[in-house]
């Protein structure tokens, strides 16, 4: 296959800790935030998109705070709050209808209707842009991995890696159209999970009072590795279906 940046990034990520797709995906969000620190200050078009999404989702808003400069944050949220001030001024009480009370606040309504009384009030018209970056990179990384994995060299590097977290394995298996690619992914997952299981058994055994004096071995950290393998790296949302 014609190798892309994603291909080489994956090869590099195989040598690192944790799920390589998690790593690439979260790095792409960090890069997006890095760029935004500069773009937000000088590009009204970038800020207009952020105004439509009302900034970021909860997860990404707090991640942004860790890396953001104050000027960019002030400019982004000045636009958003100015927009909300204008929008709320045009709102009227919801009409009486099928949806009142708590039902009216459930996210059933679309962006239509300023007086519909549903979640449309003050709702974003666009998705969180960091979520869009995350989904795009995740899809590209999984598709690249599945396409490349029949290559013996790539497969060997993948087998030597920490392997995919469950969320990304699920995506990769659902994406694999080639039985050979599917088999590599499945067999590597079985091997990785069995190795962790052995370590978990050892941790549990060593918690028996008869063995507590024994020095810890390779099982150290396996309980956390099991958790991470299942849930993915922090910041990954865990899609259920194919990209
Ligand atoms: Zn992952
Ligand atoms: Zn988000």
């Amino acid at each position: 296959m014609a190798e892309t940046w994603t291909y080489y990034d994956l090869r590099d990520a195989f040598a690192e800790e944790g799920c390589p797709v998690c790593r690439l995906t979260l790095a792409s969000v960090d890069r997006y935030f890095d760029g935004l620190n500069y773009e937000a200050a000088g590009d009204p078009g970038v800020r207009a998109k952020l105004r439509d999404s009302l900034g970021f989702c909860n997860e990404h808003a707090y991640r942004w705070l860790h890396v953001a400069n104050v000027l960019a944050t002030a400019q982004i949220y000045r636009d958003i709050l100015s927009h909300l001030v204008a929008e709320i001024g045009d709102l009227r009480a919801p009409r009486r209808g099928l949806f009142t009370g708590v039902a009216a606040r459930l996210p059933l309504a679309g962006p239509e209707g300023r007086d519909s009384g549903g979640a449309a009030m003050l709702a974003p018209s666009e998705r969180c842009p960091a979520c869009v970056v995350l989904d795009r990179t995740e899809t590209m990384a999984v598709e690249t991995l599945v396409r490349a994995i029949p290559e013996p060299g790539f497969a060997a590097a993948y087998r030597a890696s920490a392997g995919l977290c469950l969320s990304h394995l699920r995506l990769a298996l659902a994406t694999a159209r080639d039985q050979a690619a599917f088999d590599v992914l499945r067999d590597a997952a079985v091997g990785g999970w069995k190795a962790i299981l052995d370590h978990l058994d050892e941790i549990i055994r060593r918690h028996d009072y008869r063995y507590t004096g024994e020095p810890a071995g390779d099982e150290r950290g396996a309980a956390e590795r099991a958790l991470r393998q299942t849930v993915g790296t922090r910041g990954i949302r865990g899609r259920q279906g194919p990209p």
Side-chain angles (χ1 to χ4, degrees), residues 57 60 128 130-131:
C57 68
H60 287 130
C128 163
C131 282

Side-chain angles (χ1 to χ4, degrees), residues 19-33 59-60 63 133-134 137-138 168 232-237:
C19 167
V21 172
C22 283
R23 180 171 287 273
L24 261 58
T25 301
L26 293 172
S28 73
V29 173
D30 287 345
R31 275 198 305 276
Y32 164 70
F33 281 157
E59 164 82 27
H60 287 130
R63 193 164 178 87
V133 169
L134 190 150
T137 310
E138 193 175 56
H168 289 137
T233 306
R234 187 170 196 169
I236 293 296
R237 285 164 300 124

Side-chain angles (χ1 to χ4, degrees), residues 12-134:
D12 289 345
F14 289 164
E16 306 285 344
E17 262 183 45
C19 167
V21 172
C22 283
R23 180 171 287 273
L24 261 58
T25 301
L26 293 172
S28 73
V29 173
D30 287 345
R31 275 198 305 276
Y32 164 70
F33 281 157
D34 276 350
L36 195 58
N37 262 319
Y38 300 99
E39 288 172 356
D43 191 335
V46 170
R47 293 211 305 276
K49 287 180 84 170
L50 283 159
R51 184 193 61 215
D52 292 344
S53 63
L54 301 182
F56 310 108
C57 68
N58 184 287
E59 164 82 27
H60 287 130
Y62 285 100
R63 193 164 178 87
W64 164 253
L65 268 189
H66 280 295
V67 297
N69 70 48
V70 176
L71 175 63
T73 308
Q75 287 176 312
I76 290 168
Y77 283 89
R78 186 190 179 282
D79 283 358
I80 291 168
L81 285 177
S82 301
H83 165 75
L84 288 172
V85 165
E87 184 166 329
I88 202 167
D90 293 339
L91 291 178
R92 298 293 174 267
R95 284 194 300 262
R96 286 177 182 234
L98 280 176
F99 300 109
T100 57
V102 172
R105 295 195 291 274
L106 294 173
L108 299 173
E112 77 288 345
R114 287 174 169 271
D115 62 350
S116 63
M121 278 189 181
L122 307 177
S125 58
E126 295 288 338
R127 290 182 68 209
C128 163
C131 282
V132 172
V133 169
L134 190 150

